[in-house]
Amino acid sequence: MADIKLTTAGAVVRCLAAQRIALDDLDRDAAAQLAAVSDGESVPLFGGVYAIFGHGNVTCLGPELRRARHELPTWRGQNEQGMALAGVGYARAMRRRRIMAATSSIGPGATNMVTAAAVAHANRMPLLLLSGDTFSHRLPDPVLQQVEHFGDPSTTVNDAFRSVVRFWDRLTTPEQVLSSLPNAVATMLDPADCGPAFIGLPQDVQAQTYSFPHGFFEPVVHRMRRPRPDRRELAAAAAALAAAKRPLLISGGGVRWSMAEAELRSFAERHGIPVVETVAGRTSFPSSHALACGPIGVTGCVSANAMAGAADVIVAVGTRLGDFATGSWTVFDHATTFVGLNTARFDATKHGSLPLVADAREGLVELDSAVGDYRAPADWTARAETETAQYHAYIDKLAAPEAGGSRTTLPTYAQVVGAVSRAADERTYVVTAAGGLPGETVNGWRSDVEHSFDCEYGYSTMGYEISGAWGAKQALPERDVIALIGDGSYLMMNSDLYSSLLSGHPITVVVCDNGGFAVINRLQRAQGGESFNNFLVDTMTQTPSGTVDRSGAAPLHVDFAAHAASMGCASETVATTAELEAALERASASERTCVIVLATHPTSWTEGGAAWQVGVPETSDRPEIATAAAEMAEAMAAQRRGL
């Protein structure tokens, strides 16, 4: 068959549109929702392209995207970071099975996406970034928005992506598309190496033509690789578990991305092993299950941390064991044996773990068979039930509505999450990130609905909440997507409220207004500092006489409901959790993006029961800081050292 003469930009778009993912690789909900674009065996791999056009992508990539808009939809964002964050939310909702691309112009548009690339990298999420670049022939240099490097003219701002992506390339000839794009796609679909891919598109190269082989644009159906464990690693892991007196399973995000929830539950029930969850692993195990001990770590609960501290063998499934899960490695006993079941060798071997490098689902199935009829001692299983009952009683008390529906006492974050939980049904999918809400939702979102929770805490990115919810709604249009966001994050990034309206993907956003960066103020005060620059009342202001502290003066009030309404959202302000529940019911029935605002308590928090290592000055003229440093040193005396 004859070659096809295309520009580089045309080849990129046509190749992306040809990529497909096997239908049986998707979960049941996603497969059902994609019937309209299914050929019976597969669906498009790419859900579309987020785009903000400028010089560097509007004249070449733009026309090609318009031509392919029905096979590869283009979604207009309002900020490059926001639209790339939406791509992360989309990938998480799709369990890494489908991908969004995002394209920008050559300068600030490109660097706006660097933070979102880091979010995808930290969370091991697929995201394709296509950024315009300066001219490879350099004749018109310096062009608008170009940052010149005097000693290295080959460097552009797109080199900033190198540290935050799994795959990086800059095309210098059209034929490089033939190897670059397939490698980028392969990286994003690799369960062990999954992460964002970046391809730089110089303006002149985008416009150049090449005769591409016709077969390059034939549909390619991808299937997710499910590596099975090495027999020797499996034998070692099974021997360690079979000797355990107090075994524990840690369920990480890899359980969800592998769709291994059923296998995890079967494994736990057959062997009587309690389960704790990381932030990314939340809703991989039913919260009401007798073996569910809740979330582990700094944002976790006392019951999960107590079980982790007493465990002698821990099987860590699909987790990167970040410091919030491990309490900066203070939660566990020094003698505890870890089995690292993970597709990534890097994660499977952390802290001297016995590696079991495999897909979570396949690894659990084979480990189940290898340990045979082993069951944890009955007293250990009974202890899990006792610990968990205490956890639920604690959250029940914290999440209960205000006494008598009081309008005089500000509701806490825990009560807000409790209200959202009571209003939820099997369709609800909650999105949050950063600030104080992760700890509250990780503890308070006690759902038995599988895959109903997305908390971006791998990179802890303020501003993810609304954009991520927009992406999640695009992935799961039949779900009721609710974003929980603090006032600080809302002020950082809110323009994708408008994006959700513009694209026809309505979400519900609950804005908790507690007067600033309240949880960082908590950290500031807990480590001996004075409240400064976190609450709005503790900032500085310019007066005719000079720059002074606000000294507790009333801050400038932001009417978040009015702001959201100005973008076309349905919005309202409520005062109690009862009013919040009623507002959530109205929002669920609405076909518009709805924003619900309520003032929340600034200093009331759910306690977790794990240490967290942060830098505290070793010397200070402030006694409170000296005390905090001594307490930190004492807490870290229990820290497990890396092996």
Side-chain angles (χ1 to χ4, degrees), residues 346-584:
F346 182 82
D347 293 318
T349 58
K350 283 179 177 173
H351 273 251
S353 296
L354 295 173
L356 190 58
V357 180
D359 170 73
R361 190 182 76 182
E362 300 305 312
L364 283 168
V365 168
E366 296 205 14
L367 184 59
D368 180 35
S369 178
V371 296
D373 294 330
Y374 166 81
R375 279 192 67 84
D379 61 341
W380 176 246
T381 304
R383 178 175 173 180
E385 294 185 23
T386 300
E387 290 282 0
T388 304
Q390 294 173 354
Y391 156 63
H392 285 299
Y394 174 60
I395 299 300
D396 285 343
K397 182 178 180 180
L398 290 182
E402 309 92 312
S406 171
R407 294 177 64 91
T408 59
T409 302
L410 291 177
T412 65
Y413 270 9
Q415 289 172 320
V416 169
V417 175
V420 175
S421 296
R422 290 188 294 273
D425 59 25
E426 68 281 355
R427 297 172 49 250
T428 306
Y429 184 89
V430 169
V431 178
T432 193
L437 281 163
E440 305 298 326
T441 50
V442 165
N443 274 287
W445 185 249
R446 295 172 294 166
S447 177
D448 287 344
V449 179
E450 180 183 300
H451 189 53
S452 62
F453 180 69
D454 173 12
C455 178
E456 195 297 284
Y457 220 44
Y459 202 56
S460 185
T461 310
M462 296 180 70
Y464 171 83
E465 300 91 331
I466 293 173
S467 300
W470 176 38
K473 183 66 175 180
Q474 290 181 296
L476 306 171
E478 300 303 316
R479 299 288 288 270
D480 191 3
V481 178
I482 301 176
L484 299 178
I485 187 170
D487 54 307
S489 279
Y490 183 98
L491 288 171
M492 280 191 180
M493 188 166 295
N494 52 62
S495 60
D496 282 329
L497 289 172
Y498 183 70
S499 301
S500 71
L501 291 162
L502 190 65
S503 67
H505 298 100
I507 59 177
T508 298
V509 178
V510 178
V511 182
C512 298
D513 184 358
N514 57 16
F517 302 142
V519 78
I520 292 299
N521 180 78
R522 179 193 187 192
L523 175 63
Q524 188 176 52
R525 295 297 302 275
Q527 302 307 325
E530 298 178 78
S531 292
F532 175 64
N533 200 50
N534 288 314
F535 284 131
L536 298 176
V537 293
D538 296 322
T539 58
M540 302 186 73
T541 187
Q542 185 74 43
T543 69
S545 59
T547 304
V548 299
D549 294 341
R550 284 191 174 273
S551 302
L556 295 172
H557 178 257
V558 177
D559 189 335
F560 295 103
H563 180 268
S566 74
M567 286 190 278
C569 300
S571 64
E572 58 182 298
T573 299
V574 299
T576 68
T577 53
E579 293 175 9
L580 172 59
E581 289 184 56
L584 286 166

Side-chain angles (χ1 to χ4, degrees), residues 80-92:
E80 292 86 357
Q81 179 178 326
M83 65 187 193
L85 289 175
V88 178
Y90 181 92
R92 290 174 71 102

Side-chain angles (χ1 to χ4, degrees), residues 17 58 64 80 102 108 122 162 224 284 332 345 478 627:
V58 69
E64 298 296 340
E80 292 86 357
R162 289 181 183 270
M224 298 297 292
S284 60
F332 314 104
R345 185 271 315 160
E478 300 303 316
T627 299

Side-chain angles (χ1 to χ4, degrees), residues 155-190:
T155 297
T156 75
V157 296
N158 285 341
D159 288 88
F161 285 94
R162 289 181 183 270
S163 66
V164 290
V165 296
R166 293 284 189 185
F167 178 90
W168 187 97
D169 196 9
R170 176 186 288 122
L171 303 185
T172 56
T173 65
E175 53 267 43
Q176 289 174 348
V177 174
L178 293 168
S179 62
S180 187
L181 258 182
N183 275 314
V185 171
T187 299
M188 291 185 288
L189 292 179
D190 189 317

